[in-house]
């Protein structure tokens, strides 16, 4: 059974149809990359999978480990192992990052019937991850994402992913805005999570990331549909030719 | 010519006043009589009064009040919480009257006068005569007039020059009215006088059991040159009470006042504060948080009067309103002609958790000087959907995510409290309110 099975997914935002029939199968342990022009619906797909309000599914279905994903609340999806690294992480002034991280982790653990971590256990875990991801301790004492630089926000997303250890991670342009060193750190963080029981959907504009996170499959999303799929060489082809040809060729 | 309804608020004043503490002192008799006369003329404010446009006292005016006098013992034993600062001095008032047995004031240090008003009338008549009714002038203020008419008990704190009180003095007001079918009213009157360079922290907690009481307090505060007062109020009255608190502050040169009100209780609460920055370089930091649910009404009315040059004032208010509750925020900053280099800022932000909750906000800047930095900002809205989704997308259940955001929002005001222990206690109270069902 596949981890994620999307069939003929149509979704509207504010009454406007953005996703126009997406089909996508992601197997256990697989990494899929999605590329596509601005406004093609990549973030819409990721929000729809994460359960954001206002993203209305009008047709089709999404099964996660064989279960109807669309029936779940956003928090239930996260608890079930879906993680969305936001393209634009939200700034939440007043909520200390570390408070948030602990509460998120314990919510997920609680839902899975695992013991909640006390402050000490949590700190040990967090410190280890911070070190791996080259994040200064100081950052987690600040309010969540508030005033973080673009790159810091993306790293914070990867930290959260590392802590929550999801079954399906959706990375929405996690590489955008990162310098080359930061991108490597992020890629290492992602690769460290790779495993037979973990799948990823990596949304990116740059083939560069895919040198570090090598995908099993690459898809092109244009106009709310997957217009082409292939292996990692498709990413190189896109880099050379741009989307125009592919989108028209597929139309 | 009298517009006062015969609701008992002023019943039998002439006779009853003669039995109040300190009666017979000509200045005090005159002050009370003046209060009674003015209140008889003005009556409770109505919505026709500009200052009361958004807060309707007609239900209060229609109530029937028991005669206002004598000690009103609590019918049931009061539950007085431990002081916020461990082992700190605590003065307890039951139904507006000081209770010596429940209080733990200890001996006042050298240079400190800390005693109930009724006692101060015999021990410190000069101090009272010089300040009472002079900081809070009666003018056309009906509630101050009513309070003055019945002026009988409250708290008096006087610090001599240079004296610092290290531990906060805590005043606990326990209301547990029992007047048969009638409502009870009491009118505590407080006086805080800091002589030059003195420093003190005063904490008030207003609590009790339902009984429909009406607490109408007036606090007069005079802070002399270079002195500093921190004044924190936790208004957590029972849900059927009416709470109107008037605080009037005069600051001399270089004096500082820091005030905070956390208003969570009462059916109707109005916290009104007027600060006059009368000496050069005075600073006022006047802040608060109001939280309402059911059909509570909570009104914050401020007036910051920059009467001297080079003064600084800042106001930070946050409100969380749920169900059918209503908030009122009227904030006025006046900068007089000679008050150059004034810096006055005000912000009021409210979150409405229900579409039946309401906020009326009226910020006013009245500036007559030309070299000033002043500003105000008011916002009202819902919890941030993006933030809520972000938290939920990390597995945090919706009600917990809402709680995190509400706490963070309110913290933006509570964070202004500079006394750490008090800040933590206020934070906990706000959190407890929020867990009480709102989110
Ligand atoms: N609330 C909305 N109302 C109407 N249209 C919307 C709304 N939100 C998004 N859209 C539209 O949906 C389309 C897809 O947006 P989406 O953010 O999914 O694109 P994307 O592929 O992620 O683009 P990018 O590469 O720029 O991140 C865009 O045309 C966008 O304008
Ligand atoms: Mg996008």
């Amino acid at each position: 059974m596949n981890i994620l099975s999307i069939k003929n997914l149509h979704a509207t935002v504010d009454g406007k149809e953005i996703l126009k029939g997406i089909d996508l199968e992601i197997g256990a342990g697989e990494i899929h990359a999605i590329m596509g022009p601005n406004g093609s619906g990549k973030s819409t797909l990721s929000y729809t999978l994460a359960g954001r309000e206002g993203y209305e599914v009008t047709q089709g279905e999404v099964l996660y480990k064989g279960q109807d994903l669309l029936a779940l609340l956003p928090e239930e999806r996260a608890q079930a192992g879906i993680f969305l690294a936001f393209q634009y992480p939200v700034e939440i002034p007043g909520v200390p990052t570390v408070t948030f991280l602990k509460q998120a982790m314990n919510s997920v653990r609680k839902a899975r019937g695992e013991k909640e971590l006390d402050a000490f256990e949590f700190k040990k875990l967090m410190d280890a991850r911070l070190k791996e991801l080259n994040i200064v301790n100081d950052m987690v004492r600040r309010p969540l994402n508030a005033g973080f630089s673009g790159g810091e926000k993306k790293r914070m997303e990867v930290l959260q992913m590392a802590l929550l250890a999801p079954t399906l991670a959706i990375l929405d342009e996690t590489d955008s805005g990162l310098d080359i060193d930061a991108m490597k750190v992020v890629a290492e963080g992602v690769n460290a999570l790779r495993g037979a029981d973990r799948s990823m959907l990596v949304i990116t504009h740059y083939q560069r990331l895919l040198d570090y996170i090598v995908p099993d499959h690459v898809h092109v999303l244009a106009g709310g549909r997957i217009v082409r799929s292939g292996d990692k060489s498709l990413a190189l082809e896109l880099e050379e030719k741009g989307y125009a040809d592919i989108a028209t060729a597929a139309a | 010519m009298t517009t006062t309804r015969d609701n008992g608020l002023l019943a039998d004043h002439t006779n009853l006043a003669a039995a109040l503490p300190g009666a017979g002192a000509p200045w005090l008799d005159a002050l009370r009589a003046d209060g009674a006369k003015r209140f008889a003329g003005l009556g409770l404010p109505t919505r026709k009064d500009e200052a009361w446009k958004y807060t309707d006292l007609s239900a209060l005016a229609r109530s029937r009040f028991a005669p206002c006098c004598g000690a009103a013992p609590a019918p049931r034993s009061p539950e007085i919480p431990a002081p916020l600062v461990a082992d700190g001095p605590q003065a307890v008032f039951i139904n507006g009257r000081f209770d010596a047995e429940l209080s733990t004031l200890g001996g006042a240090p050298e240079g400190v006068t800390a005693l109930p008003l009724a006692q101060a009338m015999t021990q410190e008549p000069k101090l009272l005569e010089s300040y009472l009714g002079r900081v809070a002038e009666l003018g056309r203020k009906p509630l101050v007039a009513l309070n003055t008419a019945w002026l009988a008990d409250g708290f008096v704190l006087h610090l001599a020059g240079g004296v610092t009180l290290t531990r906060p003095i805590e005043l606990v007001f326990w209301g547990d009215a029992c007047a048969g079918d009638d409502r009870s009213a009491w009118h505590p009157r407080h006086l805080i006088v800091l002589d030059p360079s003195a420093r003190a922290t005063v904490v008030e907690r207003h609590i009790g059991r339902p009984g429909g009481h009406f607490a109408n307090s007036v606090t007069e505060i005079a802070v002399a040159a270079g002195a500093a007062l921190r004044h924190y109020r936790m208004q957590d009255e029972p849900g059927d009470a009416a709470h109107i608190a008037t605080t009037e502050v005069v600051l001399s040169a270089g004096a500082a006042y820091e005030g905070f009100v956390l208003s969570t209780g009462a059916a109707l609460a109005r916290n009104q504060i007027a600060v006059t920055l009368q000496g050069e370089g005075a600073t006022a930091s006047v802040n608060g948080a109001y939280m309402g649910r059911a059909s509570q009404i909570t009104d914050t009315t401020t007036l910051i009067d920059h009467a001297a040059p080079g003064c600084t004032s800042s106001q930070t208010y946050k409100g969380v309103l749920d169900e059918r509750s209503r908030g009122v925020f009227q904030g006025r900053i006046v900068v007089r002609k000679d008050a150059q280099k004034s810096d006055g800022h005000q912000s009021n932000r409210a979150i409405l958790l229900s579409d039946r909750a309401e906020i009326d906000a009226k910020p006013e800047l009245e500036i007559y000087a030309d070299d000033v930095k002043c500003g105000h900002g008011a916002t009202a809205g819902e919890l941030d959907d993006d933030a809520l989704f972000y938290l939920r997308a990390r597995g945090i259940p919706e009600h917990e995510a809402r709680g995190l955001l509400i706490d963070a929002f309110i913290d933006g005001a509570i964070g202004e409290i500079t006394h750490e222990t008090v800040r933590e206690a206020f934070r906990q109270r706000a959190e407890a309110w929020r867990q009480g069902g709102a989110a």
Side-chain angles (χ1 to χ4, degrees):
Chain A
M1 182 184 54
N2 279 338
I3 293 292
L4 190 72
S5 166
I6 304 178
K7 293 198 177 80
N8 189 32
L9 182 68
H10 290 250
T12 60
V13 183
D14 277 342
K16 187 178 155 203
E17 182 164 74
I18 310 288
L19 302 184
K20 300 173 179 168
I22 302 239
D23 291 285
L24 184 64
E25 297 287 331
I26 300 182
E30 291 177 0
I31 295 198
H32 289 238
I34 291 191
M35 306 182 83
N38 295 131
S40 56
K42 302 182 298 295
S43 293
T44 304
L45 175 62
S46 60
Y47 283 145
T48 306
L49 295 176
R52 185 173 197 147
E53 218 170 286
Y55 289 71
E56 200 189 332
V57 174
T58 49
Q59 259 191 76
E61 66 169 10
V62 180
L63 300 180
Y64 170 69
K65 294 185 182 168
Q67 211 193 354
D68 178 10
L69 180 69
L70 301 175
L72 303 181
L73 298 172
E75 55 267 40
E76 292 170 337
R77 298 181 196 199
Q79 291 158 3
I82 291 185
F83 181 90
L84 167 62
F86 284 57
Q87 182 175 0
Y88 304 108
V90 182
E91 299 202 7
I92 310 190
V95 176
T97 302
V98 49
T99 307
F100 155 77
L101 291 173
K102 182 161 171 264
Q103 195 156 341
M105 234 184 133
N106 279 335
S107 298
V108 168
R109 292 179 69 93
K110 199 163 136 192
R112 293 176 187 166
E114 295 163 10
K115 189 182 123 343
E116 291 182 48
L117 300 175
D118 63 30
F120 181 74
E121 295 165 321
F122 170 74
K123 192 172 178 318
K124 233 174 96 183
L125 251 167
M126 185 183 68
D127 287 348
R129 296 291 101 79
L130 286 175
K131 223 169 138 202
E132 284 162 18
L133 292 167
N134 249 333
I135 299 177
V136 285
N137 242 304
D138 177 54
M139 217 161 95
V140 296
R141 273 185 238 121
R142 287 161 60 187
L144 182 54
N145 292 327
F148 287 17
S149 77
E152 287 170 340
K153 284 180 187 164
K154 295 300 174 80
R155 260 191 246 202
M156 190 50 70
E157 294 294 287
V158 178
L159 170 68
Q160 292 171 36
M161 179 174 71
L163 286 172
L164 296 177
T167 303
L168 173 66
I170 304 163
L171 297 144
D172 190 355
E173 295 197 30
T174 303
D175 54 333
S176 297
L178 290 183
D179 63 45
I180 186 78
D181 292 341
M183 200 190 77
K184 280 187 200 160
V185 171
V186 165
E188 277 163 25
V190 170
N191 284 330
L193 276 176
R194 271 186 105 148
D197 51 353
R198 220 161 256 147
S199 308
M200 305 206 183
L201 184 60
V202 180
I203 297 169
T204 182
H205 285 295
Y206 307 104
Q207 111 82 23
R208 197 181 62 173
L209 177 73
L210 304 180
D211 285 342
Y212 298 98
I213 306 173
V214 182
D216 301 299
H217 301 275
V218 175
H219 311 276
V220 179
L221 186 66
R225 284 192 192 90
I226 290 180
V227 295
R228 244 188 97 178
S229 296
D231 62 14
K232 64 180 197 287
S233 64
L234 177 56
L236 287 165
E237 189 187 331
L238 286 170
E239 184 113 307
E240 250 167 62
K241 297 193 192 156
Y243 294 115
D245 290 352
I246 289 176
T248 36
Chain B
M1 65 151 264
T2 163
T3 58
T4 313
R5 301 174 60 105
D6 186 21
N7 55 15
L9 278 175
L10 212 51
D12 207 12
H13 182 263
T14 319
N15 287 327
L16 294 177
L20 290 175
W27 70 272
L28 187 54
D29 290 346
L31 188 64
R32 283 177 179 143
D34 189 26
K37 191 170 134 235
R38 284 176 198 259
F39 184 73
L42 295 165
L44 283 175
T46 69
R47 296 186 60 188
K48 288 195 204 97
D49 294 280
E50 188 56 29
W52 292 85
K53 201 167 140 194
Y54 301 109
T55 297
D56 189 356
L57 296 186
S58 61
L60 203 62
R62 278 194 308 272
S63 300
R64 172 84 228 159
F65 288 92
C68 180
C69 155
R76 296 159 286 194
S77 66
E79 288 159 13
I80 305 304
L84 294 185
V85 173
D87 303 323
Q90 197 180 45
V92 177
F93 293 80
I94 304 295
N95 295 345
R97 289 304 177 92
F98 179 74
D99 188 310
E101 256 171 57
L102 293 170
S103 301
T104 47
L105 275 174
E110 182 73 24
V112 177
T113 305
L115 72 181
L117 180 72
Q119 204 180 319
M121 283 170 183
T122 49
Q123 286 180 24
E124 297 282 344
K126 287 243 148 47
L127 179 75
L128 300 191
E129 190 177 352
S130 354
Y131 287 98
L132 281 185
R134 295 181 194 245
V135 179
E137 286 166 8
L138 295 182
R140 288 188 52 82
K141 297 174 211 161
L143 289 145
V144 175
L146 176 64
N147 175 285
T148 305
W150 296 112
L151 191 153
D153 213 344
F155 197 73
V156 175
L157 177 67
H158 174 217
L159 264 63
V163 171
T164 295
L165 259 188
T166 44
R167 283 183 308 184
I169 288 203
E170 183 169 307
L171 313 178
V172 176
F173 301 90
W174 173 267
D176 186 3
C178 190
D181 292 339
D182 293 343
R183 296 180 72 168
S184 295
W186 47 83
H187 309 276
R189 182 67 163 250
H190 314 300
L191 177 63
I192 301 174
V193 177
L194 302 194
D195 288 352
S197 304
R199 288 172 179 272
T201 303
V202 175
V203 177
E204 296 179 25
R205 301 165 80 174
H206 301 263
I207 50 178
R209 288 204 190 89
H213 68 254
F214 168 31
N216 172 42
S217 71
V218 172
T219 306
E220 295 182 88
I221 298 174
V223 186
L229 177 69
R230 297 191 285 191
H231 183 202
Y232 305 121
R233 307 181 58 243
M234 200 187 266
Q235 187 282 106
D236 196 11
E237 297 260 27
D240 61 354
H243 176 100
I244 298 179
T246 305
T247 305
E248 305 220 1
V249 185
V250 174
L251 301 178
S252 303
Y257 174 81
E258 178 197 327
F260 193 96
V261 183
L262 174 60
S263 187
T264 54
L268 182 147
R270 168 141 158 158
N271 295 291
Q272 48 185 13
I273 180 164
V275 180
T276 307
L277 299 142
Q278 199 152 65
E280 201 162 338
T283 59
S285 171
V286 181
N287 313 300
Y290 47 93
M291 309 178 90
R293 58 168 64 99
S295 52
Q296 282 180 293
I297 295 170
T298 151
D299 172 330
T300 300
T301 296
T302 70
L303 164 61
I304 310 291
D305 183 357
H306 284 257
C311 296
T312 304
S313 70
S314 69
Q315 301 173 69
T316 303
Y317 282 89
K318 298 257 178 129
V320 173
L321 300 165
D322 199 5
E323 297 171 347
R324 279 165 300 123
S325 65
R326 213 158 63 75
V328 176
F329 181 85
Q330 308 184 98
R332 200 164 138 224
I333 300 176
V334 178
V335 179
R336 302 212 206 153
K337 197 157 162 285
D338 300 326
Q340 299 297 359
K341 308 265 183 226
S342 288
D343 188 333
H345 289 275
Q346 175 192 96
S347 118
N348 174 59
R349 294 178 58 199
I351 283 186
L352 307 176
L353 295 178
S354 123
D355 46 15
R356 288 173 307 164
E358 268 180 58
I359 172 88
D360 289 298
K362 194 175 90 175
E364 277 179 287
L365 292 181
E366 240 177 87
I367 299 177
Y368 303 103
D370 42 36
D371 182 14
V372 303
K373 276 196 295 188
C374 284
H376 64 78
T379 60
E382 295 167 19
L383 277 185
D384 180 356
D385 275 342
D386 291 342
L388 201 56
F389 173 64
Y390 188 79
L391 297 174
R392 295 177 71 190
R394 296 296 176 252
I396 300 174
E398 184 179 1
H399 71 275
E400 285 180 32
R402 292 174 73 90
L404 269 176
L405 294 177
I406 293 169
D407 291 349
F409 175 75
I410 284 296
D411 222 38
I414 291 180
E416 298 291 326
I417 297 175
T418 59
H419 192 291
E420 202 180 324
T421 312
V422 173
R423 182 170 67 238
E424 203 39 53
F426 276 51
R427 195 172 266 157
Q428 277 172 22
R429 173 62 201 125
E431 232 178 279
W433 179 91
R434 191 261 300 161
Q435 282 163 351

